[in-house]
Amino acid sequence: MKLKAIGAFAALVTLLTSTSVFAAGDASRGQAFYATCGACHGANAEGMEALNAPALAGQEEWYVVRQLQNFKKGIRGGAGDVYGMQMAPMAMILPDDQAMEDVAAYIKSLGK
Ligand code: HEC
C-alpha cells in the first residue's frame, strides 16, 4: 500500500519535472518582440501573402509556441522548406520559451 503511494508520487514528480512549466504569456512583453514579426506577418498579424507569411492574429497560444519551437529546433524550416527557411531565423530572436509564450499571448490578443 505504502509502496504504491510512493510509486504514484514518483510518477507525478517525473511528469511535473519533464513538462516545462512556464508562467502564462505576458502580452505587453510580447508586443516588443512582435515589432520584428510584423514586418512579414503584418502590424496586426493579418498576414502578408506577398511574403508568404500567414495571418497569426487570434491563433491559439499553444500552437504558436509549438511552431516557434519547431522552427528553433529545425523541425520546420530545414533544407527544401523554402518559406520555413525564411521564418526559422526569426524564431531564433526569441531567447527562450518565456519569450515565445509572451509573443504568443500578444498574437492571441490581436484576434479580439
Ligand atoms: C522574414 C519574414 C518573417 C518574419 C520577420 C517573421 N516570420 Fe513568421 N513566418 C514567415 C513565413 C514565410 C512563414 C510561413 C512558413 C511556412 O510556409 O512554413 C511564417 C510562419 C510562422 C508561423 C507558423 C504559422 C502556422 O500556422 O504554422 C508562426 C507561428 C510565425 N511565423 C510566427 C512568427 C513570429 C512570432 C515572428 C517574430 C518573432 C515571425 N513569425 C517573424 C515569415 C516571417
Side-chain angles (χ1 to χ4, degrees), residues 70-71 74-89:
N70 285 347
F71 282 115
I75 294 168
R76 287 182 71 170
D81 183 2
V82 178
Y83 302 133
M85 279 167 72
Q86 294 165 26
M87 175 56 210

Side-chain angles (χ1 to χ4, degrees), residues 2 10 12 14 26 34 38 49 69 85 90-91 93 105:
K2 232 180 189 165
L12 182 68
T14 310
D26 179 340
Y34 189 78
E49 191 175 355
Q69 286 168 341
M85 279 167 72
M90 300 305 141
I93 71 165

Side-chain angles (χ1 to χ4, degrees), residues 19-65:
T19 318
S20 16
V21 182
F22 289 93
D26 179 340
S28 56
R29 272 179 37 129
Q31 185 171 14
F33 287 119
Y34 189 78
T36 310
C37 321
C40 293
H41 290 279
N44 298 306
E46 70 275 26
M48 224 178 275
E49 191 175 355
L51 296 177
N52 305 293
L56 300 170
Q59 184 56 275
E60 299 300 338
E61 295 172 56
W62 54 264
Y63 178 79
V64 170
V65 169

